[in-house]
Every structure is written in C-alpha cells, then in structure tokens.
Amino acid sequence: MAIDFDTIVNLSKKRGFVFQSSEIYGGLRSAYDYGPLGVALLRNVKAEWWRAMVQMRDDVVGIDSAILQASDVWVASGHVASFTDPLVECTSCNSRFRLDKLDDSEQCPTCGNRGTFTEPRQFNLMFQTHMGPVASEENVVYLRPETAQGIFINFENVRRTARLKLPFGIAQIGKAFRNEITPGQFVFRTREFEQMELEFFCHPDDAEEWFGYWLDERQRWYLDLGMSPDKLRLRRHDADELAHYAADTYDVEYEFPWGWDELEGIANRTDFDLKAHAERSGKDLRYYDQDADDRFFPYVIEPSGGATRTTFALLIDAYTTEEVGGEERVVLKLDKRLAPIKAAVLPLSKKPDLVEVTQKVADSLKPLWDVEVDVTQSIGRRYRRQDEIGTPYCVTIDFDSLEDQQVTVRDRDTMAQDRIAIDKVVEYLRDRL
Ligand code: ATP
C-alpha cells in the first residue's frame, strides 16, 4: 500500500517520534528533534548497523572522531574546493534551488515563471565557524559534512593500535552537517543529520571484488530489517554525477512517497583520500605489506548511509493499515529489533491491586527491554495506540490474573492472545524478541 507523506509526518508528530526543532519559536527549518519514540527507534537502527558492520565482523573496528577537525583536512579532501551544489535563484520571486534537483531547469517551482533563473553558482555546503575568541581567516573551522574524513585521518592510528592487516574496515556513526540549498521532505534532507559510514581498505587489485561484495551486503542489511524488496533498488551513478573522489558509485534507493530516492551511497573512493592526506600532512599513510615487501596506498570501498534517513524510510515501510471487524487498524510492522517499545504492560482497570501486579510484571521486563506501562483509556484504545507505535507485545493484566497468576500476551501482527503464567512472561518474550 502506498502511504502518503502527510500521514507519516502526522504520525511522527502525534506519537512523539519527531518534532520540529525550536517549535515554540516558530521552528528552525530543516532541523528536527527526536522525541521519546523517535530516539529509541533511531538508536535501534544505529545499533543494528553497528552490530552488522562491527560487532559481527572480524575485519571491521569502530571509532568516534571529533566533529571539529583541522581545516587542512577539508582542504586535502577537496571539500573546500569542490563540495558544492549548483545554486540558482529566481529573479522574480527570489526563491533558491539546487539546479540538479529541479524537474524543469527553466521553470521556478515557487512562482511558475519561466526563464527567470540566474546563472548557476557553485555553493559550498560546509558550515563554517571560528575556533577561539577571535574570528579571523586563520581560525576557520568547519562542521564536518561527512564522518568519513575522521576515519581517513586516523587510518594509521587505528591500523597500528588495532594491529590490522588488509583488508579491513573502520566504521563510524555520527553527526554530519550540510548547508543544503533545498532541505525538505521532513527528515529526509536536513542540514544536521546522522551518518553511518564504513571505510573498507583493501589492495587496489581487490577493490572491484569488494565493491561488489558491499553492494550485496548492504542491500541484504535493509532486507534483513524487513524492508519491502520491491521498494529497494540499486542505481549506478552516471559519470557526470560522480563525486570528486569516486571512481564508481551505486546508490541504494528506496521508493519514498515522492518517488525513488537515495538511502545510501556505495562508492569506490580509490586511494584518493589517503593519498591527499599523505600529501598535505607530509605523513606516510601507505600500507606496508610485509609478505610482499610492498608499500602502497590501499583502495577504499565506502558504504555511506544516513541513520536519520534510514529511520524515516523504515518508518514509512512499516506503516500498514488493515481492516479488523469493520474498522481500520493502523499497525507499524517494524522489525522487533527496531520497535521503540518491546512490550506494553496494561492493567484492564486502574484498580490498585491490578496496577500493583502490572508494575511487578513491568519491573521484571525492564532490565531486558524498553517497556511501557499504560493505565489510561479503554483496553481497545490502548491496543490501538501500541499497534500504531509498533509495540510487538501487549501484556494485559485482568481480574483473573489476581486469582490464577496468569496474564494475556497479545501479538501485534496476528493479534493472537496467549495466556501465560506471570513468572513465565520473561521467558515467553525472550523466545520471541
Ligand atoms: P544528495 O546528492 O542527495 O545531496 P549525497 O549523494 O551527497 O546526497 P552522500 O554524500 O552520499 O549524499 O551521503 C551519504 C548518505 O548520508 C546519504 O545516502 C544519506 O543517507 C545521508 N545524507 C546525506 N545528506 C543528507 C541530508 N542532508 N539529510 C539527511 N541525510 C543525508
């Protein structure tokens, strides 16, 4: 089912996944805050990425580098000179656009006039500030526009201390900042966002093979998290689309409500970055292969995804409506690993003895999972709310529970209910979560 864009934005706001940044001041465009459910979902997405890309692998280690780096980093990487998008401005209504993202490069989407665009100007996307009390040319620093460079400049530190031999990867998750000309589509394109990047270093002769490997591997990751296969595809960049550092790139694309768009870029960055940093820093960043007695710059395959963008896509993909007993039921069919709340514990009424058992059950689950206790409203409405936020299990405590020490566990997807002894609930959920 195609879900429309407004529905998912409304759900995000209504249920506390995502809020507009600085909302009480009228909102700061293209910046968003993650609410209680949003932060849990985002953290779970990042945790799954880290698990697959670092924890489960023998050949990848992680780092967390600073957002602020020496300006030399961005000169060497080519970002100061070339990290630009073509900006055009409509001379009629003064709206600004990114030329390569316009459907019609002659017509202004805001006022509809034709032929009113200025000549394109290359606009650098890096946010710039100053380090220290004096704002001068010498102390300009940039907010990193990608996490990748923090990995390249630590290549030798990490290789040496972790005693790594090629091929190996260094992974990082963290904030990145781009002064996008046309942010939009909710959290899809924002000026502050989170990336999940792997730089995988290998011998230049093996780069093609690893490129293919990571194309497969990264698609598999999205599918394993339950993303619809028919909404996922790979698209190869045309030569004129390639970034300044890339020899070849594919995008993993998702079919968003507005059409196919990028989730992740997988690039063969060649030895561009290590070479550039070696040259500018004067440090030898070549790899020494002892067996072959050979010193060379490794090639780099980079799967670079967005944590915030992927979270948004997973939310869209999970949104489902179905008819139950003549009524519409909205269910977020999120993979259980991603669900913000794993179990809701619901007493049938607010009677103190039921609430007491509810709390006891919730306390037994809390050390293992994010759980929520909800004592408000009718049980039907509480089930609907939990379905809408993707909670896989609801544990209901009713009056019989006081007698038989049993509770009802309801499955989000099948709505089937099982009667379980209170002291078996942890085991029951552990088998299923
Ligand atoms: P585009 O051409 O759409 O501006 P890009 O190709 O420059 O994007 P990359 O540099 O490949 O993007 O960034 C890697 C990933 O980081 C993207 O696939 C996306 O998931 C994420 N990302 C990049 N820019 C943004 C942004 N402004 N907001 C949210 N996520 C972003």
Side-chain angles (χ1 to χ4, degrees), residues 254-321:
Y254 180 76
E255 194 177 13
F256 286 92
W258 59 89
W260 291 96
D261 222 330
E262 174 177 342
L263 268 185
E264 164 163 352
I266 302 167
N268 178 352
R269 287 184 85 126
T270 68
D271 54 7
F272 177 90
D273 301 271
L274 285 181
K275 241 183 195 164
H277 287 303
E279 213 164 275
R280 190 162 182 93
S281 68
K283 300 283 184 304
D284 188 357
L285 299 180
R286 286 175 303 169
Y287 175 84
Y288 178 58
D289 180 344
Q290 234 162 2
D291 299 335
D293 189 25
D294 188 16
R295 213 175 276 281
F296 59 91
F297 286 105
Y299 265 39
V300 176
I301 307 302
E302 173 196 69
S304 166
T308 39
R309 191 178 282 187
T310 297
T311 299
F312 183 40
L314 286 161
L315 202 57
I316 293 171
D317 204 67
Y319 188 91
T320 314
T321 54

Side-chain angles (χ1 to χ4, degrees), residues 98 178 180 188-190 193 195 262-264 304 306:
R98 193 171 139 183
R178 295 182 188 178
E180 298 278 2
F188 177 82
R189 188 183 303 284
T190 50
F193 55 98
Q195 285 190 315
E262 174 177 342
L263 268 185
E264 164 163 352
S304 166

Side-chain angles (χ1 to χ4, degrees), residues 83 85 98 100-101 125 145-146 176-180 183-184 186-197 222 237 241 243 245 249 251-252 261-267 269 302-310:
F83 194 58
D85 279 337
R98 193 171 139 183
D100 59 327
K101 294 283 176 190
L125 300 182
E146 61 175 26
F177 304 83
R178 295 182 188 178
N179 200 1
E180 298 278 2
F186 200 43
V187 294
F188 177 82
R189 188 183 303 284
T190 50
R191 293 193 169 115
E192 174 180 346
F193 55 98
E194 263 186 295
Q195 285 190 315
M196 309 184 286
E197 295 195 299
Y222 292 99
H237 279 208
E241 219 184 326
Y245 50 74
T249 301
D251 285 344
V252 180
D261 222 330
E262 174 177 342
L263 268 185
E264 164 163 352
I266 302 167
R269 287 184 85 126
E302 173 196 69
S304 166
T308 39
R309 191 178 282 187
T310 297

